[in-house]
Amino acid sequence: MNIQEITSLEQPELAPYCQLTEHQLRQASHFMDDTNASYANGIFIAESPKVIHVALNAGYRPLSLLCERRHITGDAASIIERCGDIPVYTGNRELLASLTGYTLTRGVLCAMSRPQLPSIADICSQAHRIVIIQGVSDTTNIGAIFRSAAALGIDAVLLTPDSCDPLNRRAVRVSMGSVFLVPWTWTEPSFHDLRAQGFKIAAMALSDDSIPLGDPMLNSIERLAILMGTEGDGLPHEAISAADYVVRIPMSHQVDSLNVAAAAAVAFWELRRR
């Protein structure tokens, strides 16, 4: 085991855990040793043993671990065994507790290399149900949408650039590692590539010409892309106009909308491929 004792959170090797912002982690090759290919696509942080194991099972590459001493032979033991000779940084509990949020992670953090993202064509070529997330910037909502997508049969996730990064530390945590289970990539808010692959677009929105989520016609569509927007502003008019269908979730008590993560779960279940 490559155990390395730390005495300060200012040590350069700890930069991914406590010095770099989420944006800097995505651009890690500019802040770390840019001769190291491990940083070519950036870094992200996974926390808690369960989430780290999910990432490892999905083929994500670990770069280093940070944990309390007691976890080296406890919660982190099986992770260390799987990760070979990567550095395992450790120190006393008081020092590590000064790292914001650290005490909420069951004592184990893992810096991992970001993979090169697949193309839209690659992840959608065999897909039948995908979700397009447009303009959803809340990390909790992104994590929850990915968890529902993994559980309810969504084959791929596409996100517009104004959405939150799925490998944001909090999004990963909220998803319980589900961001590692569903293929995803970035997309521009255009449907040309999807239509070329035979997808119909269903925009989840309220409009005069919307159809209810339970319409049997929707389930008969072989390849369907479910378009989700923010719960506040919703989808932009041009996105709704460009969709093949506008779909609403029937509701009671004069409630007109759901949180986007809740709405996604309902839509995924109802529109799953049967």
Side-chain angles (χ1 to χ4, degrees):
M1 288 189 292
N2 184 6
I3 307 298
Q4 299 189 22
E5 290 282 336
I6 60 175
T7 57
S8 168
L9 295 180
E10 298 303 315
Q11 292 175 217
E13 59 268 34
L14 298 182
Y17 298 102
C18 51
Q19 297 169 31
L20 301 184
T21 65
E22 288 286 346
H23 174 73
Q24 290 171 331
L25 286 172
R26 292 195 296 272
Q27 306 294 325
S29 61
H30 299 298
F31 297 91
M32 309 294 286
D33 178 4
D34 58 10
T35 64
N36 190 329
S38 299
Y39 305 139
N41 297 310
I43 296 172
F44 71 94
I45 304 297
E47 54 184 89
S48 88
K50 179 176 181 179
V51 170
I52 295 169
H53 276 299
V54 174
L56 294 174
N57 291 343
Y60 283 73
R61 181 183 176 187
L63 301 175
S64 66
L65 285 170
L66 175 65
C67 66
E68 297 176 28
R69 289 193 191 95
R70 65 190 177 96
H71 291 312
I72 292 174
T73 56
D75 285 351
S78 59
I79 299 171
I80 294 171
E81 183 178 359
R82 296 183 65 180
C83 290
D85 198 39
I86 67 170
V88 179
Y89 302 114
T90 190
N92 63 59
R93 183 175 178 82
E94 291 72 26
L95 173 64
L96 298 184
S98 65
L99 176 59
T100 302
Y102 184 81
T103 54
L104 302 179
T105 68
R106 292 187 61 202
V108 186
L109 298 175
C110 185
M112 293 188 147
S113 178
R114 284 175 174 263
Q116 183 173 357
L117 292 177
S119 68
I120 296 174
D122 285 343
I123 67 172
C124 292
S125 61
Q126 302 299 316
H128 292 272
R129 292 292 183 268
I130 68 172
V131 60
I132 307 168
I133 301 174
Q134 182 164 354
V136 178
S137 58
D138 182 86
T139 55
T140 299
N141 284 334
I142 291 293
I145 291 171
F146 265 86
R147 191 170 184 182
S148 294
L152 301 175
I154 295 298
D155 300 312
V157 179
L158 305 181
L159 304 100
T160 58
D162 54 350
S163 294
C164 170
D165 173 24
L167 295 183
N168 171 284
R169 181 173 161 183
R170 180 170 176 78
V172 170
R173 183 170 71 244
V174 171
S175 80
M176 292 298 292
S178 294
V179 295
F180 309 129
L181 303 178
V182 184
W184 65 273
T185 195
W186 300 105
T187 183
E188 293 300 323
S190 170
F191 308 136
H192 299 300
D193 292 341
L194 293 176
R195 285 209 168 95
Q197 295 194 50
F199 278 92
K200 297 292 187 180
I201 315 300
M204 301 299 299
L206 297 174
S207 70
D208 292 338
D209 60 347
S210 63
I211 59 177
L213 183 61
D215 191 312
M217 177 270 299
L218 294 170
N219 294 109
S220 69
I221 299 172
E222 181 68 17
R223 312 191 84 187
L224 185 65
I226 305 164
L227 179 62
M228 310 291 305
T230 64
E231 61 183 290
D233 297 330
L235 290 167
H237 176 73
E238 56 269 23
I240 297 173
S241 298
D244 298 289
Y245 312 100
V246 184
V247 182
R248 68 181 184 278
I249 299 174
M251 287 181 253
S252 304
H253 299 292
Q254 298 182 325
V255 175
D256 62 359
S257 65
L258 293 173
N259 167 275
V260 65
V266 173
F268 296 166
W269 170 254
E270 183 61 36
L271 298 176
R272 69 195 185 282
R273 191 180 182 212
R274 289 170 168 78

